[in-house]
């Protein structure tokens, strides 16, 4: 945690977390999406999802025409 994080009271999570509001569960899925009105077709945005919220987040993106695909989330070398 940096000095500035300690002042704000917010520290980065130790493990990547689900993107669903108020969920602190560990991420298991990577939902890839883009907004065609804003992003070029090759640009993909990513939300992380836990098992419980995967379907909810996919549905949210599908209804808006943003959903592209879901793949298992594998943390990178700097993530636990």
């Amino acid at each position: 945690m940096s000095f500035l994080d300690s002042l704000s009271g917010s520290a980065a999570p130790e493990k990547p977390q689900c993107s669903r509001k108020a969920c602190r569960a560990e991420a298991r899925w990577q939902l890839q999406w883009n907004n065609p009105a804003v992003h070029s077709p090759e640009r993909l945005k990513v939300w992380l999802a836990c098992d419980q919220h995967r379907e909810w987040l996919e549905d949210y993106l599908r209804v808006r025409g943003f959903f592209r695909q879901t793949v298992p989330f594998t943390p990178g070398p700097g993530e636990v």
Side-chain angles (χ1 to χ4, degrees), residues 9-38:
S10 64
E14 291 183 22
K15 295 183 180 183
Q17 295 177 345
C18 180
S19 296
R20 177 76 164 104
K21 185 177 180 178
C23 183
R24 300 293 175 252
E26 186 176 348
R28 301 267 184 228
W29 301 98
Q30 182 175 315
L31 284 66
Q32 299 175 353
W33 64 278
N34 81 350
N35 178 344
V38 178

Side-chain angles (χ1 to χ4, degrees), residues 11-69:
E14 291 183 22
K15 295 183 180 183
Q17 295 177 345
C18 180
S19 296
R20 177 76 164 104
K21 185 177 180 178
C23 183
R24 300 293 175 252
E26 186 176 348
R28 301 267 184 228
W29 301 98
Q30 182 175 315
L31 284 66
Q32 299 175 353
W33 64 278
N34 81 350
N35 178 344
V38 178
H39 307 119
S40 60
E42 63 278 353
R43 175 150 185 222
L44 290 177
K45 304 284 282 180
V46 174
W47 281 354
L48 298 178
C50 64
D51 290 332
Q52 180 182 359
H53 293 117
R54 174 186 171 181
E55 187 175 330
W56 189 95
L57 290 166
E58 287 173 345
D59 288 344
Y60 181 91
L61 293 168
R62 276 192 186 102
V63 165
R64 288 154 182 81
F66 297 169
F67 181 76
R68 297 298 171 255
Q69 71 175 345

